[in-house]
Amino acid sequence: MFEIMRNNLIIKAFTNTAGLADLSLRDWDLLVRQARAAKLLASLYARLEKTRLLESIPEQARRHLVWEHAVAARHTLAVQQEIILIRRALTGIPVILLKGAAYAMAELPAAQGRVFTDVDILVSKTQLNQVEAALMLHGWASTHHDAYDQHYYRAWMHELPPMQHIKRLTVIDVHHAILPETAALHPDPHKLRAAACKLEGYDDLKLLAPADMLLHSATHLFHGGELEHGLRDLLDIDSLLRDFGRNPGFWPHLQARARELELTRPLFYALRYSASLLHTPVPQPIIDASEAPNRLLLPVMDALFCRALLPDHTSCNDILSSTARRLLYVRANWQRMPPLLLARHLFHKAFLSPRER
């Protein structure tokens, strides 16, 4: 299964970038389509520019990459400006940036070419009302007006309902944890906030500590069920591991931190698939010591993730791809809520919510 996925054109593009110079125009046409479906065109531009191969590819393909690079560059500037405005709105409130916003502001390699749709922040649960009120005063409003959705987020989830600015239409997700309180895993948000690092140049903005940043990325991908851009998120993990892993002390600390935060299983999947598919240089003893599922379950998870992590494009899908994505979505919901609460939620969304619209 791994070999089939590694032979996919989009995977080969990021693991053997030098080989792209030999692709035919027809191959480039397909690669551009796959990369666009995965939201990785700008990342591919960054990879080619870094390896000084940009000028060696056909002009027809290069035009697409250059355009997406320009869009990504403008996006990064817009995100940085948006975070300054969020910072002003939340003056005096400790804020931790998450995911793409954190990568962009810290100028991590993972930010190169990365485009994302919202800004994620982490705050203390005790300050949620204060944060929400401050954002509303500065033009943000909830995007979920259904009473049940409001209750769902506020009672059970790990974040407020997404908020969108009424003029700029930018979206902010305000988290108080990285997993729902009803989930089977319970990473302590107090520990995440306590270990957070100051963002250089800013007194009131922080980032998760390196190990925590990696664990959050792994948890988001392998526990969240949203795999539309799974390959992009796996490349984030690959980039973070390569960057942070240059410090030898990072690896044992990552393992210990995963145990402390109850995130050993998401870490196992992150290490397994990034090493197997993207050739991430993970020390083998670290993978061997990770918490793997049992021998019967692991081949099933491999079959599901190796399909779902590829772009949702006809050239990447097989007859089981859509089923794999649906099963992983069901798995994520199962992990998010206990059975009775999940049944109640699904019944309401399937039969009651449509009637209330």
Side-chain angles (χ1 to χ4, degrees):
M1 192 71 213
F2 286 135
E3 192 59 36
I4 293 173
M5 191 174 177
R6 282 194 291 260
N7 286 332
N8 192 280
L9 194 55
I10 187 70
I11 297 291
K12 292 169 73 173
F14 284 94
T15 55
N16 181 26
T17 308
L20 295 178
D22 300 324
L23 292 185
S24 67
L25 191 59
R26 184 173 182 177
D27 288 335
W28 267 108
D29 177 71
L30 179 57
L31 178 56
V32 166
R33 294 173 191 274
Q34 290 182 355
R36 179 172 285 116
K39 292 194 178 297
L40 286 172
L41 268 178
S43 299
L44 185 56
Y45 174 97
R47 187 67 61 95
L48 286 163
E49 186 179 47
K50 181 179 179 181
T51 53
R52 299 180 181 179
L53 290 170
L54 193 61
E55 297 302 320
S56 67
I57 68 173
E59 181 183 354
Q60 297 93 322
R62 189 164 63 247
R63 283 201 299 265
H64 290 275
L65 297 175
V66 169
W67 172 255
E68 289 296 328
H69 167 69
V71 171
R74 290 180 64 87
H75 174 81
T76 298
L77 292 175
V79 166
Q80 292 170 342
Q81 180 62 32
E82 189 69 16
I83 289 172
I84 290 173
L85 296 174
I86 292 171
R87 177 176 163 231
R88 289 176 185 170
L90 300 180
T91 300
I93 301 174
V95 170
I96 299 173
L97 299 175
L98 300 175
K99 297 193 300 185
Y103 309 156
M105 293 300 287
E107 299 182 351
L108 296 177
Q112 294 177 1
R114 198 182 193 281
V115 177
F116 48 95
T117 57
D118 49 20
V119 174
D120 294 82
I121 66 172
L122 178 71
V123 300
S124 170
K125 187 176 182 180
T126 60
Q127 293 185 304
L128 279 181
N129 291 339
Q130 183 182 357
V131 168
E132 185 175 23
L135 289 173
M136 290 176 68
L137 284 173
H138 286 79
W140 280 273
S142 178
T143 59
H144 289 64
H145 303 293
D146 178 87
Y148 177 80
D149 285 347
Q150 287 286 328
H151 176 75
Y152 167 76
Y153 274 98
R154 297 175 189 278
W156 302 327
M157 290 296 100
H158 55 303
E159 59 184 320
L160 293 175
M163 302 181 73
Q164 186 173 45
H165 198 275
I166 58 175
K167 291 184 177 179
R168 299 190 301 275
L169 304 181
T170 52
V171 176
I172 181 171
D173 284 336
V174 180
H175 299 252
H176 60 84
I178 62 171
L179 280 176
E181 296 184 343
T182 55
L185 303 180
H186 299 95
D188 188 345
H190 300 287
K191 292 180 179 180
L192 294 171
R193 295 199 308 274
C197 312
K198 281 189 177 181
L199 177 62
E200 187 175 351
Y202 298 88
D203 294 330
D204 49 358
L205 289 176
K206 292 186 175 182
L207 310 172
L208 292 177
D212 294 350
M213 189 181 293
L214 187 282
L215 289 170
H216 179 223
S217 184
T219 302
H220 173 75
L221 177 55
F222 294 106
H223 207 283
E226 299 175 1
L227 292 159
E228 294 86 353
H229 305 123
L231 183 57
R232 182 198 67 180
D233 294 340
L234 188 65
L235 282 162
D236 287 348
I237 291 170
D238 168 74
S239 180
L240 293 175
L241 287 171
R242 291 176 187 272
D243 190 19
F244 299 149
R246 290 178 295 179
N247 177 3
F250 169 76
W251 297 105
H253 177 63
L254 177 63
Q255 277 191 310
R257 191 63 165 167
R259 290 191 294 269
E260 183 181 3
L261 295 174
E262 302 180 23
L263 297 175
T264 51
R265 184 59 60 82
L267 176 61
F268 168 80
Y269 287 129
L271 298 178
R272 179 175 179 79
Y273 298 121
S274 60
S276 298
L277 303 173
L278 301 175
H279 310 312
T280 311
V282 180
Q284 190 60 44
I286 299 296
I287 297 179
D288 294 341
S290 301
E291 184 193 336
N294 64 60
R295 288 184 294 176
L296 295 177
L297 180 59
L298 184 56
V300 175
M301 300 309 296
D302 284 345
L304 295 177
F305 277 122
C306 282
R307 289 179 170 88
L309 288 171
L310 285 174
D312 189 4
H313 188 268
T314 54
S315 64
C316 301
N317 291 337
D318 64 16
I319 193 171
L320 295 177
S321 294
S322 60
T323 300
R325 292 186 177 97
R326 282 196 296 270
L327 288 174
L328 288 172
Y329 179 77
V330 171
R331 168 184 175 267
N333 279 279
W334 181 261
Q335 293 179 319
R336 189 176 291 145
M337 294 181 175
L340 290 178
L341 183 58
L342 177 59
R344 172 188 167 188
H345 172 66
L346 294 178
F347 178 84
H348 196 288
K349 296 300 288 183
F351 299 106
L352 300 182
S353 290
R355 295 181 182 178
E356 296 172 359
R357 290 173 184 165

